[in-house]
Amino acid sequence: TYNLQIKAIRKFPQEDRFRTAYALTNLALASSLSNRPNISPADRENITQLIQQSIREAKIATTLNPRRTQNWETLATIYRNLINVAQGAQDWTIAALVQAITTDPQNPRLRLELGGVYYGLKDFDQAIRFFDQAIALKPDWANAHYNLSAAYRQQGDLDKAIAAMILVLQLLDPQAPDF
């Protein structure tokens, strides 16, 4: 797959979708290598190269087609995977998600994802802001209410956390696995 993607990019260098696919393949390979129990110095070098290629290709895709939301999402995914590894990755993740939202302002999933980034960074005010925005776009989305409840809980606002969780329970079918 990796080698075929390289050939496709060489043949069609302006095709942004090939770039995002290749970026995600590089990220998957880097992740696979980094999960090995004993990482050799050569593995570390390969991981670094794969991550750099992943970022480079995702950036190229956003340059080739800056209006394609998926390009910004791919870049955000790559950066999000680096938050605990690379200094500044959280800022790059946020910036890429903001660009994705700009290209698809009615997409609640992007706001939920951005709220999740802020939640992971323990910036619960911002997390709540984006979870609320996701809910405004899709009021019946149990997952957004659940995340909002968790953020309120982390802030210590138990009344709001309980109210959001009650909505989650009302939105889910008691027989569903998610319940």
Side-chain angles (χ1 to χ4, degrees), residues 119-120 122-125 127-128 147-158 161:
Y119 184 93
K122 299 186 184 335
D123 185 344
F124 301 115
D125 288 334
I128 289 166
N147 288 3
L148 180 63
S149 174
Y152 279 134
R153 182 175 162 267
Q154 289 295 325
Q155 269 193 331
D157 193 337
L158 297 183

Side-chain angles (χ1 to χ4, degrees), residues 4 18 37 47-48 53 64-65 84 89 123 132 171:
L4 290 174
F18 293 169
I47 291 166
T48 300
Q53 288 173 182
L64 291 171
N65 191 346
N84 293 322
D123 185 344
D132 274 335
L171 291 169

Side-chain angles (χ1 to χ4, degrees), residues 26 121 136:
N26 276 276
L121 297 172

Side-chain angles (χ1 to χ4, degrees), residues 26-173:
N26 276 276
L27 180 64
L29 290 170
S31 178
S32 179
L33 281 175
S34 68
N35 287 327
R36 288 183 175 175
N38 298 315
I39 301 174
S40 71
D43 287 341
R44 288 188 196 285
E45 189 174 317
N46 286 333
I47 291 166
T48 300
Q49 182 179 2
L50 289 164
I51 290 170
Q52 289 171 345
Q53 288 173 182
S54 183
I55 293 168
R56 181 191 70 227
E57 293 300 319
K59 283 182 172 181
I60 290 170
T62 63
T63 301
L64 291 171
N65 191 346
R67 291 188 290 178
R68 186 184 310 270
T69 305
Q70 182 60 46
N71 294 341
W72 293 106
E73 285 184 270
T74 299
L75 188 58
T77 297
I78 294 163
Y79 286 143
R80 190 171 189 177
N81 277 278
L82 300 176
I83 284 180
N84 293 322
V85 179
Q87 188 175 21
Q90 67 273 7
D91 297 328
W92 304 326
T93 303
I94 291 166
L97 283 169
V98 167
Q99 279 302 125
I101 289 169
T102 300
T103 63
D104 189 2
Q106 297 303 310
N107 187 334
R109 185 182 47 76
L110 296 172
R111 293 168 196 277
L112 185 77
E113 190 170 333
L114 185 51
V117 170
Y118 281 116
Y119 184 93
L121 297 172
K122 299 186 184 335
D123 185 344
F124 301 115
D125 288 334
Q126 286 289 61
I128 289 166
R129 176 177 160 226
F130 285 100
F131 295 150
D132 274 335
Q133 288 179 15
I135 291 166
L137 291 168
K138 186 166 175 50
D140 63 342
W141 196 10
N143 191 28
H145 289 281
Y146 180 87
N147 288 3
L148 180 63
S149 174
Y152 279 134
R153 182 175 162 267
Q154 289 295 325
Q155 269 193 331
D157 193 337
L158 297 183
D159 289 338
K160 287 183 180 178
I162 290 168
M165 189 56 72
I166 288 170
L167 282 172
V168 171
L169 296 174
Q170 290 171 351
L171 291 169
L172 290 175
D173 175 358

